[in-house]
Amino acid sequence: MVDPPLSDATVLITGGAGFIGSRLAHALVSDNEVTILDDFSNGEAGRVPGEATVVEGDIRDRESIAETIRGADVVFHQAALVSVAESIEDPLESHGRNATGTLTLLEAARDHDARVVLASSAAIYGRPARIPVSEDDPKAPTSPYGLEKLTADHYARLYNELYGLETIALRYFNVYGSGQPANDYSGVVSVFVDRACDDDPLTIFGDGKQTRDFVHVDDVVRANLRAATADRAGEAYNVGTGTRVTIAELAESIIDVTDADSELVYDDPREGDVRHSEADITKARTELGYEPAVSLEAGLRMLAENGGTRR
Ligand code: UD1
């Protein structure tokens, strides 16, 4: 991990007890005043660094935001309902957290003139017109989740244009790494690694030829730190690696690094699933100085050595 370029700042991390937010909190806490707002629907208190101030509250609740944003120089907005499948099951709930929650936060940031770095998503592109996809390519989300993130991403730009608020949207591709939950709504890497560690079968939805750009959480943290101090505002950046693998290849690699006896089982394709995804990271490289440092092979090996994402 590089030294955080942000120091002596007052920072709010929404979703700071979650997978990405808590890693960000650890990277920032020694040099900054860190407050975390999390409703613990998915977050875990054990992941939060002891030095951070933790407030339990909902991202849609204006009072909780007002209480935690006071004095903040930078807000890292990570709170979200992250599952595409869950957004299809309950779009109203998902919209509330991902779209209305972001708008509520942007309003508070406007009152307090805090810079906002927000977690957007590759899901906003839907079926990309070309691969690798770059920031100005058409957006055609295939799930409520993708549409909500597109709304949040667009609001961030609009708040910059209308109110001069400093916002940066980071469009995460498929983030993985230790600390990611491994349940029905989690990312495929954590599900596969945990199952492989127990020699259980890995279920592939569809033909397994769909592709994803898997980016390690440490690289995502680095991108956030860069965005916090970048001399840019109202911009959006892809945060991936610029490479992609099929889900079947991913499963094979995970079986390989964990030395598992797991079988591959094929099931129906998942509704709303994007077929191919790969980031063009030229803009983040050029404007943020972002450079992914963890290869998928190295990242999977780290997970396997730790015995899965839970441990
Ligand atoms: C993920 C993120 C989403 C992010 C997006 C950006 C999670 C839970 N979701 O969505 O927040 O914005 O990337 O690209 O991290 N699969 C299987 N078997 C399984 C689980 C999944 O075959 O047991 C397949 C899925 O059908 C899909 C692929 O693996 O094709 C990736 O699925 P998943 O990890 O859930 O992520 P995305 O839907 O890409």
Side-chain angles (χ1 to χ4, degrees), residues 82 121-122 145 174 185-188 203-205 210 212 270 273:
V82 300
S121 167
Y145 174 83
N174 287 63
Y185 295 120
S186 315
V188 64
T203 305
I204 293 180
F205 301 134
Q210 68 270 42
R212 293 292 185 274
R270 214 167 56 175
D273 223 23

Side-chain angles (χ1 to χ4, degrees), residues 44-290:
E44 286 170 27
R47 282 203 284 236
V48 170
E51 303 93 317
T53 304
V54 181
V55 174
E56 187 170 347
D58 193 302
I59 191 63
R60 294 161 290 190
D61 175 38
R62 286 197 229 176
E63 275 174 31
S64 298
I65 296 180
E67 181 189 339
T68 50
I69 205 169
R70 204 167 300 122
D73 303 300
V74 185
V75 179
F76 295 94
H77 178 41
Q78 307 297 312
L81 194 141
V82 300
S83 161
V84 170
E86 213 173 349
S87 81
I88 292 174
E89 281 166 29
D90 195 347
L92 209 53
E93 176 69 16
S94 167
H95 186 94
R97 288 172 185 270
N98 294 339
T100 312
T102 301
L103 183 57
T104 313
L105 177 84
L106 286 169
E107 266 300 276
R110 179 157 82 99
D111 286 345
H112 293 266
D113 200 21
R115 184 181 184 91
V116 179
V117 178
L118 92 160
S120 179
S121 167
I124 71 172
Y125 299 113
R127 296 190 179 92
R130 60 183 177 135
I131 290 285
V133 66
S134 63
E135 286 82 355
D136 291 335
D137 285 353
K139 321 291 182 295
T142 56
S143 63
Y145 174 83
L147 183 55
E148 293 148 15
K149 284 286 178 179
L150 179 58
T151 306
D153 184 295
H154 210 127
Y155 263 127
R157 196 175 80 201
L158 212 56
Y159 265 62
N160 178 257
E161 284 171 12
L162 294 177
Y163 311 118
L165 188 71
E166 289 186 10
T167 60
I168 290 200
L170 297 179
R171 296 175 181 164
Y172 300 166
F173 281 63
N174 287 63
V175 188
Y176 73 99
S178 67
Q180 187 170 33
N183 56 47
D184 284 354
Y185 295 120
S186 315
V188 64
V189 172
S190 60
V191 173
F192 281 2
V193 171
D194 280 23
R195 292 187 68 81
C197 285
D198 295 334
D199 287 327
D200 287 337
L202 310 186
T203 305
I204 293 180
F205 301 134
D207 63 7
K209 292 184 181 146
Q210 68 270 42
T211 56
R212 293 292 185 274
D213 181 339
F214 291 100
V215 56
H216 193 269
V217 64
D218 287 349
D219 285 326
V220 173
V221 167
R222 275 186 275 266
N224 274 275
L225 299 179
R226 295 273 178 176
T229 53
D231 188 18
R232 304 273 168 174
E235 296 288 342
Y237 299 94
N238 286 343
V239 177
T241 64
T243 62
R244 67 192 163 116
V245 293
T246 68
I247 296 304
E249 283 164 352
L250 174 77
E252 295 291 356
S253 302
I254 288 174
I255 289 174
D256 200 37
V257 293
T258 53
D259 207 13
D261 289 325
S262 301
E263 287 172 63
L264 298 187
V265 178
Y266 286 80
D267 205 338
D268 291 338
R270 214 167 56 175
E271 229 182 322
D273 223 23
V274 166
R275 186 72 183 156
H276 295 297
S277 181
E278 180 187 336
D280 181 336
I281 55 170
T282 311
K283 188 177 173 193
R285 263 196 179 120
T286 318
E287 296 184 15
L288 299 181
Y290 162 75

